[in-house]
Amino acid sequence: MAEIKKRILECPNCKAEIEVQIRPRLEMPYDQEEKKKIMDGMFFRNKCPGCGRLIPAIYNFEYNDMENKYLIWLLPQIHEEEKKRIIDFNQLLATDNRLRLAQGGYRYRLVMTDMELREKVLIFDEGFDDRFIEAMKVIYVPVIMEKVGNDCQVVGIFFDKSAEGEYQWLVVFDKMKPTIFTVNMDMYEDMKEKLWETAEKNYQDDCMLMIEAHWAAKVMKECSEAENQ
């Protein structure tokens, strides 16, 4: 288990001091209680003892699932130090045969928010490929914008699962409350079949990658251009 550090934050509402625990990594299947906090959206939030307000504290964090073989780095900001860390890690994966053997079949992902982290965990635990979930977002966002109109913009769209077990989109807007939209999972299979070859060409399975909608849009454009040639 990683060493737990402590940090003092000031509540922006009542100015009370909050002692925050900094847990730099989780390892599955051992840290199940902490994983539940991630999935509940509470792992990086701390309750102010003075006014009860929930204060976010997002920091560099590793989530390593050794059973399902995926490693996610949460890096809220990617400055030179973080860039060097990514480069060093990728070089280690490329050159250390023992590490590659030990982690054969792993997926490595970079995310920048706690909601993206939660989403990746859900996607991988449900047995899906995030590359094609991201491709679905490219299709869905214009459809969602048609429904809500042009008075607001989508600032985040996240693959989610209801308490009843149904897959759904959690969409965050700039001027509206977050809204739930249904997901047609038949589209997932369509994206997977159509984009697989092009996605593989744009994918490295032995390095830390940021797989998000922009990456998927690039793959979709390349696939469309290849079909039209």
Side-chain angles (χ1 to χ4, degrees), residues 13 55 71 90 96 98 143 150 152 161 167-168 170-171 179 200 209 226:
N13 185 47
I55 311 300
L71 175 64
N90 288 342
D96 191 325
R98 289 178 299 178
V143 175
N150 297 321
C152 61
K161 187 178 182 181
Y167 298 119
Q168 58 193 19
L170 171 62
V171 185
T179 306
E200 287 290 290
L209 295 172

Side-chain angles (χ1 to χ4, degrees), residues 87-98:
I87 291 171
D88 290 345
F89 181 79
N90 288 342
Q91 288 179 341
L92 186 63
L93 282 175
T95 58
D96 191 325
N97 290 329
R98 289 178 299 178

Side-chain angles (χ1 to χ4, degrees), residues 23-203:
R23 188 187 294 267
R25 70 180 59 88
L26 294 185
E27 293 185 345
M28 294 300 113
Y30 308 114
D31 296 321
Q32 291 294 333
E33 289 186 10
E34 300 304 317
K35 175 184 179 177
K36 186 177 185 302
K37 293 179 183 178
I38 288 178
M39 304 313 289
D40 290 342
M42 295 302 296
F43 184 84
F44 296 99
R45 283 163 175 75
N46 307 270
K47 189 173 183 179
C48 173
C51 65
R53 184 171 178 175
L54 290 176
I55 311 300
I58 314 296
Y59 50 86
N60 290 2
F61 172 80
E62 294 181 14
Y63 184 99
N64 183 17
D65 189 317
M66 294 176 284
E67 286 189 330
N68 294 315
K69 289 192 172 184
Y70 63 87
L71 175 64
I72 304 171
W73 282 2
L74 168 59
L75 301 178
Q77 296 179 324
I78 303 181
H79 298 307
E80 291 304 316
E81 180 179 348
E82 287 79 16
K83 290 179 182 179
K84 184 178 184 304
R85 182 186 175 197
I86 295 168
I87 291 171
D88 290 345
F89 181 79
N90 288 342
Q91 288 179 341
L92 186 63
L93 282 175
T95 58
D96 191 325
N97 290 329
R98 289 178 299 178
L99 179 62
R100 296 183 68 178
L101 181 63
Q103 295 195 332
Y106 252 73
R107 288 171 288 187
Y108 306 96
R109 295 294 186 267
L110 286 172
V111 297
M112 297 187 70
T113 70
D114 58 329
M115 291 186 71
E116 291 173 326
L117 170 66
R118 177 187 179 278
E119 179 188 48
K120 293 294 184 187
V121 171
L122 175 64
I123 290 171
F124 291 150
D125 283 359
E126 292 293 309
F128 294 120
D129 190 318
D130 61 330
R131 297 176 297 177
F132 309 115
I133 296 291
E134 296 297 336
M136 291 171 66
K137 293 180 184 180
V138 178
I139 303 296
Y140 264 96
V141 167
V143 175
I144 290 171
M145 290 307 301
E146 284 186 7
K147 293 182 178 181
V148 301
N150 297 321
D151 293 336
C152 61
Q153 296 295 321
V154 173
V155 297
I157 176 170
F158 304 95
F159 187 72
D160 203 358
K161 187 178 182 181
S162 71
E164 294 73 30
E166 296 180 349
Y167 298 119
Q168 58 193 19
W169 296 119
L170 171 62
V171 185
V172 180
F173 299 96
D174 59 349
K175 298 177 182 178
M176 288 175 51
K177 292 182 179 180
T179 306
I180 297 296
F181 292 87
T182 57
V183 176
N184 178 3
M185 292 307 295
D186 290 339
M187 183 183 291
Y188 172 82
E189 297 299 332
D190 290 341
M191 293 290 99
K192 187 174 181 180
E193 180 179 356
K194 181 179 180 180
L195 300 175
W196 179 269
E197 184 175 345
T198 308
E200 287 290 290
K201 290 179 181 178
N202 287 271
Y203 181 73

